[in-house]
Amino acid sequence: MLGVCALAFVVAGAVLIWIVALLVSKGFHWISKPFFTQDPQTPTVFQQNNLGGIRNAIWGSIVIDGIALLIAIPVGLIAGHLLAESENRFANAVRKTTEVMTGLPSILFGIFVYEFMIIKFHYRFSGILGSLALVMIMVPVIMKASEIAFRAVPHAIKEAGLSLGLSKGVIAVRFVTPAAVPGLLTAVLLAMSRAVGETAPLIWVIGNNYVATWSPYKQQSAIPIAIYNGLLNAGSPLQQDYAWGSALFLVVVVLFLNLGSRLLAAFLRRERH
């Protein structure tokens, strides 16, 4: 069994190395200052290499993911704390629902927002709808991880606060939450790293925009959408190849979020001890 596990590790590692090598070989030569500071351009007969950059996608991702974080963080953390402090049928039902939602295909959330907001209420395609779809993805992740973080806080801290006559709300805000900060940061960053790379829910609701804009009420682009359009809807092999630069940038962002969350959590734990 140890040999089987080692073989599985080697296979998984080989696939990962192959994917990273493919991204670097096809995408690294596109990385430049204009790539991040220009909007997409349409190639012409005289300038076939003038493809512009992904500034519109970067701005769109910042707007969509930023609004989603502002909504998902307080909802997920509060719900996670309530689940950590509750052991009844309602809490168990919410807990099971959260676990089911974390395993649902992300495209379902995009279809739900599309049917509910665009078809039923005739709301136009916009970045804010993409944020709502990402909130549905992020909240269950934050709830589940933050519940574990709150449960890891020693009961002695809560008992000490109760013995001093403090209310549960004061104990939660002033003692329990600071003690759980490493785990809470990990929960938030992991949820963000998942949302940044989502493509399927955004295709349904944000439309498309080839000009950078900060308005969440207008059609937006996003880095995953730029990759999707570049690989599937490109008019030339050069445009398809150009999408690899966007894919490499997205992988680097997700990698930094995942590694950063773990390193930051480990640093905070070490500082507390």
Side-chain angles (χ1 to χ4, degrees):
M1 289 305 298
L2 183 61
V4 172
C5 292
L7 179 61
F9 174 78
V10 171
V11 171
V15 173
L16 177 61
I17 293 173
W18 176 72
I19 294 174
V20 173
L22 189 63
L23 283 171
V24 173
S25 63
K26 288 195 171 185
F28 185 76
H29 64 279
W30 290 107
I31 303 299
S32 61
K33 183 179 179 181
F35 184 77
F36 299 106
T37 58
Q38 294 181 2
D39 293 329
Q41 304 293 329
T42 302
T44 63
V45 176
F46 302 101
Q47 294 180 322
Q48 297 183 2
N49 295 332
N50 184 25
L51 299 177
I54 58 171
R55 184 180 66 169
N56 64 320
I58 295 175
W59 286 21
S61 290
I62 293 174
V63 171
I64 294 170
D65 297 334
I67 295 175
L69 274 175
L70 291 177
I71 300 173
I73 289 176
V75 173
L77 294 183
I78 294 173
H81 185 266
L82 292 177
L83 289 179
E85 297 292 333
S86 304
E87 287 295 343
N88 50 49
R89 292 183 178 180
F90 177 75
N92 291 333
V94 173
R95 194 174 290 112
K96 292 179 180 178
T97 303
T98 301
E99 294 176 355
V100 171
M101 290 183 67
T102 55
L104 289 176
S106 59
I107 193 173
L108 295 179
F109 300 107
I111 294 174
F112 173 79
V113 175
Y114 174 80
E115 289 288 338
F116 189 75
M117 297 297 295
I118 296 178
I119 299 299
K120 186 175 181 179
F121 289 102
H122 306 288
Y123 201 86
R124 61 185 180 181
F125 293 95
S126 60
I128 192 69
L129 296 186
S131 299
L132 293 178
L134 294 184
V135 166
M136 298 180 187
I137 297 173
M138 297 171 67
V139 167
V141 176
I142 297 176
M143 285 176 60
K144 189 174 181 180
S146 62
E147 180 186 1
I148 296 174
F150 283 122
R151 286 184 180 274
V153 176
H155 287 284
I157 295 178
K158 304 174 186 177
E159 294 171 353
L162 292 173
S163 66
L164 294 175
L166 300 177
S167 64
K168 291 184 178 181
V170 173
I171 295 173
V173 173
R174 299 188 61 181
F175 299 102
V176 176
T177 300
V181 163
L184 300 182
L185 286 175
T186 301
V188 171
L189 291 176
L190 287 177
M192 183 177 177
S193 65
R194 179 181 176 184
V196 166
E198 288 293 345
T199 307
L202 300 183
I203 292 175
W204 288 85
V205 294
I206 70 171
N208 204 356
N209 194 343
Y210 294 99
V211 179
T213 176
W214 292 108
S215 175
Y217 299 104
K218 295 181 179 180
Q219 294 192 32
Q220 286 279 7
S221 182
I223 298 175
I225 301 299
I227 299 171
Y228 173 83
N229 291 333
L231 291 177
L232 298 183
N233 301 324
S236 66
L238 184 63
Q239 288 177 292
Q240 292 182 347
D241 191 39
Y242 193 69
W244 286 96
S246 305
L248 177 61
F249 175 67
L250 179 62
V251 168
V252 171
V253 170
V254 174
L255 177 64
F256 270 103
L257 288 174
N258 278 277
L259 292 180
S261 65
R262 286 165 171 78
L263 293 175
L264 182 59
F267 173 77
L268 292 175
R269 291 191 183 96
R270 185 171 63 251
E271 288 294 316
R272 289 184 179 277
H273 293 291

